[in-house]
Amino acid sequence: MEFRVLGTVAVASEDGAFLALGPAKRRSLLAMLLLQPNTAVPVERLTEALWDEEPPLHSRTVLQGHVSRLRALLAEHGAEAYGIELATQGPAYVLRLPETLIDAHRFEELVTLARGQRRPGDAVLMLREALALWQGPALTGTVTSPPLQAASHTLEELRLASVEALAEAYGELGEHGRAAAVLRTEAVAHPLREPLSAALMLALSRSGRQSDALEWFHRTRRLLADELGVDPGPALCEAHAEILRTGTPVTPPAPAAAEPELTVSIPELLPRRPRGFSGRQAELTALGLATAGQYGAIALVTGGAGVGKTALAVHWAHERQSDFPDGRLFADLCGYSDTPARQVTVVLREFLLALGVPVQRIPETEAGMGALYRSLTADRRMLVVLDNARDSEQVRPLLPGGDHCVTLVTSRDRLGGLVASDAARPVRLDELPAADCTALLAAVLGEDRVAAEPEAAARLAALCDGLPLALRVTAARLAARPQWTLGALASELADEQRRLGLLRVEDTGVAAALRLTVQQLPEQARRMFRALGLHTGSELDRYTAAALAGCTPDQAAAALDRLAAAHLVVESGPHGSDPRTRPDSYTLHDLVRLYARALAPEADPDGLARLLDHYLHTGLVATATAEPGSQPCFTPPPGARRPAAVREFEDRQAALAWYEAERATLRGAVAAAVAAGMHDRAWRLVLLQWPLILWRVRDGWVPLLEQALESAELEQELDAQSRTRALLGWVLHEEGRYDEALAHLEKAPDLARQAGDVTSEAIARINLALILVKYGEVDRAGDLLGHALTLAGRARDRSTEMLAHQHLARHFLTAGAYDLAREHSLRGLELGPSPEAIPRRVLLRTSYGEALAGLGRTEEARRQLTDAAREADDHGYEEGAAAARANLANLEGLPPA
């Protein structure tokens, strides 16, 4: 564990992840305790630091709350193992810890050691290591109160003194150029700090740059006069005098013959027009709009690897040649490439040469080159294409100076900085539509070959995720093998284990393009991307991502946002029409998911277990929300870890929508658990879906339930076997597979009894009773239902009691015992107040209506059945609504009682 104050106040855990410290006041509290480690800091001093004005009356309570939360956070992340304790000591708090865990302590220790070194080379190494600990202004993220500002100023003074000491050590080594480079950055940031400027002047002079040194003196003198109204102090004057004493006299150059005015050429640096370009009409139109009617317009084409950004930009540039009579410049900035990113000076030099500037007249510095480039483009109508940009900083120095120039930038990153600072207008490039994919294949393979296999062509497009790069590689494979059919290659690509390998020709391929994107990510985002390879679905939210990466949801959201900026995941928003179902949802395209899976062995080996446990805990919350009166269908297995945070659901509808959205992912999670031998998770992941299974009972659940039963038997979990057989029997019964259903349901009650689970036994008896009716064993079915009601009452399980009453009401309706049917319907309805247990309420109300009709109370029956149909409609329970309306139809023509 590491504590940081030299930059944003933060705590890093052993794996490098940052703890979620919370608001600024909590960071300020931690900062004050870290500034005086192992020392009791009075409450009054802490209060002074946390409020930059008069503290509120309840400030002590607020402070105690922050201490309590900080103490819990440290304990949660194993602080005790590092000897860390946040303790109360009378009217004060003390943070006990090894001081080497604080970056400021290590900084001061290294600086002190450096001062005692006899050899300047050793001092340089220590000072560089010390200064590398700084990540920004000290105590960032804290309250701007006097105590913290004073501490920040003290730390900054120590840092500047260390910079000056480093420059001095470089000077002792004779490396005056390095000394000047170190000092210049700080002198620019602190222009009125005279000792700093004096040291920079001497370093410049000693590295042979006397004119720059004198220029810096005059610049500082003017600043002192303008800002403070004072003359230079002794340090500056002495440095100036030494430069004049030791430097070479600077004489003005002799007048030279006037150089001829530059004749600007009309440059044409565009690559050739891309072959086989097709579609993209909407994006081409958007580019035209982004570059029309603006001064110095900048269009930003963004999209993932292989989506065709360069092809679009170059195609558009060729199409619009007449709009740019003064020429077109092009540079591949290699932001995502195996080769190093292009230096700005190299690109500017190429542009100036293309504009007709003689080599001898190109300035030496980047600033000089940029100024000349902007002046030459100021009055011209030109297009500048900056392809494959890594970040906004790489682009800005290459923007032309003219109001009539247009700049077209392509990048795998969103380049939000360029949008904010230079009003760049984004044009997002997504995957090609199916028709355009077919056209691209036809452009390479010929219309006839593609037209002969339209379905296979469409399948290839889907397997390539609509990525032009993948489609071109596929077309290249087919073009080189005319005997191959499109269908044969589609069948090979369907194998996920081989797909990325097949989508490669020589040095071109999807995996290579994705690798270049991933390697440019910051470490936290790279770690998240690798972790996503273990995901068992194509969509996820920040809670799932947090489980995969072993971090907090906030940290996961930040990493996912960075991946979205690089177009490796797509923000898809809430799932479906209900925004409560799945907030901050992200999608992985298949090829990206397969590439992440290939990297997954590098991820945390515990990632799959965390993912499965995340779904177990989330499923339990969803079940409790969807069926609030029910008991949990299992307890988590031994060793299961609770996630850092579990999402909650507003209501039953939101919980069921989550089940629907995650259904394919949960099926994949079950398969992954079985493959990893985690059968204790596998059967639980199936059973937790029981609310959706009952809601969508005829939706093909049998294979999943059979897998759950197999896992439960391997684990010798009797109660799990009982619950699974009862549920499986019910599903088989609803599918009309009565013999198979009976085989499972006959075994379920005895398994539950052996396990000692009363609720499971009650449910098993209810389900068995239902199937026995199909075989005409009505009396035995009635006995089973009565016994189930007794068991549910003994267990005080209102949900199962309600279920037993529901089926007893139906049992007595079938027998024509309308009074008993009415009684059980009413008792069941009393157990489930709205809006809980909606399906059972609807069915009970329908049974109540039928019983009333059987007793001749037609008008009451009509009201109950109408209410049942309305309630079913309100909650999307289609089968319940249909049953209620069918009974209403039977009442038509009957007179009211």
Side-chain angles (χ1 to χ4, degrees), residues 528 531-532 535 539-560 579-586 607 609-619 621 641-650 658 662 665:
M528 175 61 75
L532 295 184
H535 189 40
E539 284 192 59
L540 76 164
D541 58 20
R542 62 194 180 104
Y543 294 96
T544 307
L548 284 163
C551 61
T552 67
D554 286 345
Q555 291 168 332
L560 286 169
R580 299 169 299 171
T581 59
R582 196 167 184 178
D584 57 28
S585 180
Y586 295 82
R610 287 199 305 270
L611 176 70
L612 301 178
D613 292 345
H614 153 74
Y615 278 121
L616 291 181
H617 283 91
T618 308
V621 174
R641 287 163 292 191
R642 184 175 180 82
V646 180
R647 66 164 297 181
E648 297 177 354
F649 303 92
E650 287 188 18
W658 178 82
E662 296 284 3
T665 301

Side-chain angles (χ1 to χ4, degrees), residues 111-415:
V111 170
T112 302
L113 286 171
R115 290 195 193 106
Q117 298 303 309
R118 294 183 178 179
R119 295 189 298 181
D122 294 337
V124 163
L125 292 174
M126 291 178 181
L127 289 167
R128 286 180 61 179
E129 184 179 349
L131 290 166
L133 293 170
W134 284 75
Q135 304 295 318
L139 306 179
T140 297
T142 59
V143 176
T144 55
S145 61
L148 288 166
Q149 284 183 310
S152 175
H153 178 74
T154 300
L155 287 168
E156 177 65 7
E157 286 295 316
L158 283 172
R159 188 186 70 82
L160 289 172
S162 303
V163 170
E164 291 168 348
L166 176 60
E168 184 179 346
Y170 274 134
E172 290 177 21
L173 292 170
E175 298 182 8
H176 301 294
R178 283 194 172 186
V182 167
L183 292 165
R184 185 181 182 89
T185 301
E186 302 301 336
V188 169
H190 304 84
L192 301 179
R193 187 181 176 94
E194 292 188 56
L196 198 58
S197 290
L200 173 59
M201 288 163 52
L202 292 172
L204 289 168
S205 175
R206 290 164 185 168
S207 61
R209 298 166 61 187
Q210 284 85 359
S211 60
D212 288 342
L214 292 171
E215 181 184 341
W216 196 266
F217 171 77
H218 294 302
R219 174 183 182 276
T220 308
R221 183 181 61 183
R222 286 193 300 271
L223 276 172
L224 289 169
D226 293 343
E227 298 290 331
L228 304 177
V230 298
D231 293 327
L236 271 178
C237 291
E238 289 172 11
H240 182 238
E242 181 177 332
I243 293 168
L244 293 177
R245 264 195 322 271
T246 60
T248 304
V250 179
T251 57
E259 295 188 22
E261 187 176 345
L262 284 174
T263 302
V264 178
S265 302
I266 297 178
E268 285 295 347
L269 298 185
L270 281 183
R272 64 177 176 81
R273 185 189 293 265
R275 302 290 188 266
F277 184 89
S278 61
R280 298 296 194 194
Q281 290 306 311
E283 290 86 352
L284 291 168
T285 301
L287 266 183
L289 293 173
T291 57
Q294 293 190 72
Y295 295 109
I298 305 171
L300 174 58
V301 179
T302 66
V307 82
K309 300 179 294 297
T310 302
L312 177 78
V314 174
H315 176 82
W316 185 87
H318 279 285
E319 290 291 303
R320 304 294 288 267
Q321 180 176 1
S322 60
D323 293 342
F324 306 106
D326 295 318
R328 296 170 296 179
L329 296 170
F330 178 92
D332 180 358
L333 302 184
C334 300
Y336 296 87
S337 173
D338 278 324
T339 59
R342 301 285 300 284
Q343 292 183 355
V344 170
T345 52
V346 173
V347 178
L348 283 172
R349 184 179 178 86
E350 288 180 2
F351 283 1
L352 291 173
L353 288 171
L355 287 164
V357 180
V359 173
Q360 64 272 19
R361 291 196 59 185
I362 295 178
E364 293 183 2
T365 65
E366 178 185 322
M369 290 182 186
L372 180 57
Y373 165 63
R374 288 187 292 275
S375 69
L376 292 176
T377 55
D379 299 319
R380 288 170 170 79
R381 195 177 193 87
M382 298 183 65
L383 172 67
V384 179
V385 181
L386 302 174
D387 186 40
N388 198 13
R390 182 184 61 227
D391 51 38
S392 302
E393 186 179 354
Q394 192 184 22
V395 171
R396 290 192 185 100
L398 302 173
L399 297 175
D403 288 344
H404 302 295
C405 290
V406 168
T407 307
L408 183 52
V409 183
T410 76
S411 180
R412 298 184 192 181
D413 195 276
R414 291 173 181 162
L415 300 193

Side-chain angles (χ1 to χ4, degrees), residues 684-701:
R684 287 176 168 88
L685 286 166
V686 178
L687 282 188
L688 66 79
Q689 300 177 67
W690 71 264
L692 184 65
I693 294 174
L694 294 181
W695 193 258
R696 299 278 186 263
V697 68
R698 296 187 182 92
D699 238 7
W701 295 100

Side-chain angles (χ1 to χ4, degrees), residues 61-73:
T61 303
V62 174
L63 178 61
Q64 289 171 345
H66 285 304
V67 169
S68 176
R69 290 181 180 87
L70 186 57
R71 185 180 284 145
L73 181 68

Side-chain angles (χ1 to χ4, degrees), residues 595-633:
Y595 182 67
R597 184 183 295 174
L599 302 180
E602 303 175 28
D604 186 342
D606 295 330
L608 177 60
R610 287 199 305 270
L611 176 70
L612 301 178
D613 292 345
H614 153 74
Y615 278 121
L616 291 181
H617 283 91
T618 308
L620 287 172
V621 174
T623 301
T625 308
E627 300 288 344
S630 64
Q631 294 181 356
C633 56

